Amino acid sequence: MLFGKNAAGKELVDGTETTVYAGKLSTSFLQQLMEEAGGSTEAMSDLTGGGLTASDLGGLGDIDVVMYVDPETHLPLRYSMDMSGMMKDLMKLALASAEGMDDYEVDVEIGVAKAECRLSDFNSIAPIEI
């Protein structure tokens, strides 16, 4: 993940003034994580019928990430990811690698593929006894 050392600005999130950081999550970094995390590569291959593997992630577009961090606690209060480019590339790969698609030209349009998550109530669960 690549975030600049300097913040991109300030923004209010649920009443807290946060420091905003913007950067890119490279799909080659995701590929490395999946390869190091035991069954992740097999799960991806199973999900796509064996057509795609973690090694295919390296050539996909990066994911734009924006994080809103509480400057006092250094905890993220919100993050958003724009995965539009990555999803377009992934769908093209999936369709092109599907059985029987050798003679077809594949084109895919994905307008928006975004995710946003708000985080709160850190450490608010009851202690877990083992």
Side-chain angles (χ1 to χ4, degrees):
M1 184 171 301
L2 174 65
F3 283 100
K5 292 179 181 177
N6 299 320
K10 303 268 185 205
E11 189 169 320
L12 220 62
V13 174
D14 299 328
T16 301
E17 186 173 325
T18 63
T19 305
V20 181
Y21 296 93
K24 293 188 179 291
L25 176 60
S26 73
T27 49
S28 58
F29 178 74
L30 285 178
Q31 173 190 355
Q32 179 185 348
L33 281 179
M34 287 184 75
E35 289 170 349
E36 291 174 0
S40 296
T41 54
E42 291 83 11
M44 183 174 179
S45 183
D46 291 347
L47 183 65
T48 62
L52 292 175
T53 63
S55 62
D56 293 316
L57 287 175
L60 303 179
D62 294 339
I63 300 170
D64 292 323
V65 179
V66 180
M67 294 192 78
Y68 303 81
V69 178
D70 182 332
E72 289 183 28
T73 64
H74 305 290
L75 292 171
L77 299 184
R78 184 172 94 193
Y79 65 87
S80 63
M81 298 185 293
D82 183 349
M83 302 170 286
S84 304
M86 183 205 71
M87 291 303 293
K88 179 179 179 177
D89 293 345
L90 184 61
M91 289 305 298
K92 280 182 163 180
L93 268 175
L95 290 170
S97 67
E99 190 173 322
M101 293 296 290
D102 297 337
D103 297 329
Y104 296 96
E105 185 176 322
V106 177
D107 192 23
V108 175
E109 283 299 324
I110 294 182
V112 177
K114 292 184 178 182
E116 182 174 302
C117 184
R118 287 180 181 257
L119 307 161
S120 62
D121 298 326
F122 294 97
N123 299 319
S124 65
I125 65 169
I128 299 171
E129 291 185 34
I130 299 176

